[in-house]
Amino acid sequence: MAVPFKYTRAVVCGVPSSLPKNALRLEDPGEPIDLEKARQQHSDYVKTLEKLNLKLTHIEPDEELPDCVFVEDTAVCVGNKALIANLGHENRRAEAKRMKSALIDLGFDVTCMENPACLDGGDVLFTGREFFVGLTTRTNKEGMEALAAAFPAFPVSGIKVEKHLHLKSMMSMAGDDLIVVGSSSMASNSFKEIESKAKYKYRKLVVPEDVAANCLYLNGTLVHPSAKEIPESISVLQGLPGEKIEAENSELHKADGCLTCCSILLQ
């Protein structure tokens, strides 16, 4: 098995023009998405992945799939295995078909999830040792069981998620065995359940803002939201040891998109 959080490749997809008007949202963000700004932020994100020595596979944006930039939801990949998700919102399921083709082309051993199982990759927190799966409006118990069947070497635990779209909307890996967690009551409740079900011990880092708790940890570097987006949390993240890079994500966040949403990292 490859070393956790060491990656050589990533799959990304551009931002379609249809995203500002038609992206699925939990609620109205209150202000429109600036398409050109979203594309610039995404371009900078892609450059960051390249800076971290990842070879990128680019999927072209599809105007019929306004959420297609959020590739994380379409598959779960560990080592050379990939589980193609049956996304929780029916309007997004064609995105997974595109990801299946891309991963097959990259030589992955692909398994496909089928009804009634539903799962979004944003609900899957992989610690390198086990999976925690958010049980949300997009991911059900059958989806969790399908993940467990696809990756039998790892324990899998279901975690209740309240009000957030995904589990990783409020927590993510920020280091080896380190989970960064938002300070809201929803995040705290979900993490307490993780602690009660975890088969291994993890360190916990609490940040004041839930949005600050979605980070990318890869190849020894923590990629986190920009200081202007997380003014109350930036000092906490900057206090961590190791390399850190800020990545602005204000526009895609208006469509419930986080930093982890915009790539699938591959070993």
Side-chain angles (χ1 to χ4, degrees):
M1 178 60 65
V3 177
F5 315 119
K6 297 292 184 182
Y7 302 96
T8 58
R9 305 189 66 108
V11 182
V12 296
C13 177
V15 181
S17 300
S18 56
L19 179 132
K21 183 177 180 180
N22 298 315
L24 299 170
R25 299 175 173 90
L26 276 181
E27 57 186 36
D28 190 329
E31 57 181 297
I33 294 171
D34 183 325
L35 178 61
E36 292 310 310
K37 188 175 181 180
R39 284 177 167 164
Q40 183 58 57
Q41 291 176 353
H42 186 263
S43 176
D44 292 342
Y45 174 93
V46 168
K47 290 175 183 176
T48 295
L49 297 182
E50 292 175 328
K51 181 179 178 181
L52 294 172
N53 300 316
L54 297 183
K55 184 175 181 180
L56 299 187
T57 294
H58 293 264
I59 298 177
E60 288 298 315
D62 185 333
E63 296 301 333
E64 298 299 316
L65 302 171
D67 292 275
C68 62
V69 64
F70 304 127
V71 293
E72 177 188 44
D73 290 327
T74 63
V76 178
C77 301
V78 178
N80 195 49
K81 287 188 174 182
L83 174 65
I84 305 301
N86 190 36
L87 278 77
H89 199 293
E90 190 172 358
N91 289 354
R92 295 193 62 194
R93 289 178 183 171
E95 296 174 40
K97 295 179 181 178
R98 291 171 9 119
M99 184 57 66
K100 176 184 176 182
S101 297
L103 293 174
I104 288 174
D105 288 345
L106 290 171
F108 276 76
D109 178 8
V110 170
T111 299
C112 294
M113 187 179 293
E114 298 179 355
N115 285 329
C118 293
L119 181 138
D120 279 11
D123 277 319
V124 180
L125 179 64
F126 180 57
T127 70
R129 298 183 178 191
E130 61 187 311
F131 288 102
F132 297 108
V133 178
L135 300 177
T136 64
T137 58
R138 301 289 178 86
T139 297
N140 59 20
K141 181 181 178 183
E142 291 84 357
M144 179 187 70
E145 291 169 347
L147 179 75
F151 300 101
F154 299 101
V156 177
S157 300
I159 304 298
K160 184 179 179 181
V161 173
E162 301 172 337
K163 297 186 178 179
H164 282 282
L165 179 64
H166 292 134
L167 177 64
K168 285 198 290 192
S169 300
M170 54 185 175
M171 66 182 71
S172 62
M173 300 306 297
D176 296 332
D177 298 326
L178 174 65
I179 302 176
V180 56
V181 185
S183 63
S184 70
S185 60
M186 296 83 73
S188 178
N189 289 341
S190 292
F191 191 78
K192 286 178 183 177
E193 188 174 3
I194 283 178
E195 289 182 307
S196 71
K197 293 182 176 180
K199 304 300 187 293
Y200 302 90
K201 288 193 68 68
Y202 301 98
R203 295 173 293 141
K204 175 187 179 184
L205 177 71
V206 177
V207 288
E209 299 142 305
D210 282 7
V211 65
N214 182 274
C215 304
L216 280 174
Y217 176 63
L218 68 153
N219 299 348
T221 297
L222 184 69
V223 182
H224 60 76
S226 66
K228 68 173 76 173
E229 296 171 277
I230 54 167
E232 297 178 28
S233 305
I234 187 66
S235 61
V236 179
L237 294 175
Q238 287 292 329
L240 289 170
E243 296 294 321
K244 291 167 284 291
I245 299 175
E246 292 187 30
E248 190 171 351
N249 188 55
S250 61
E251 299 311 301
L252 294 182
H253 187 256
K254 295 173 185 176
D256 299 320
C258 299
L259 291 178
T260 62
C261 297
C262 296
S263 60
I264 292 185
L265 305 179
L266 308 173
Q267 298 171 321

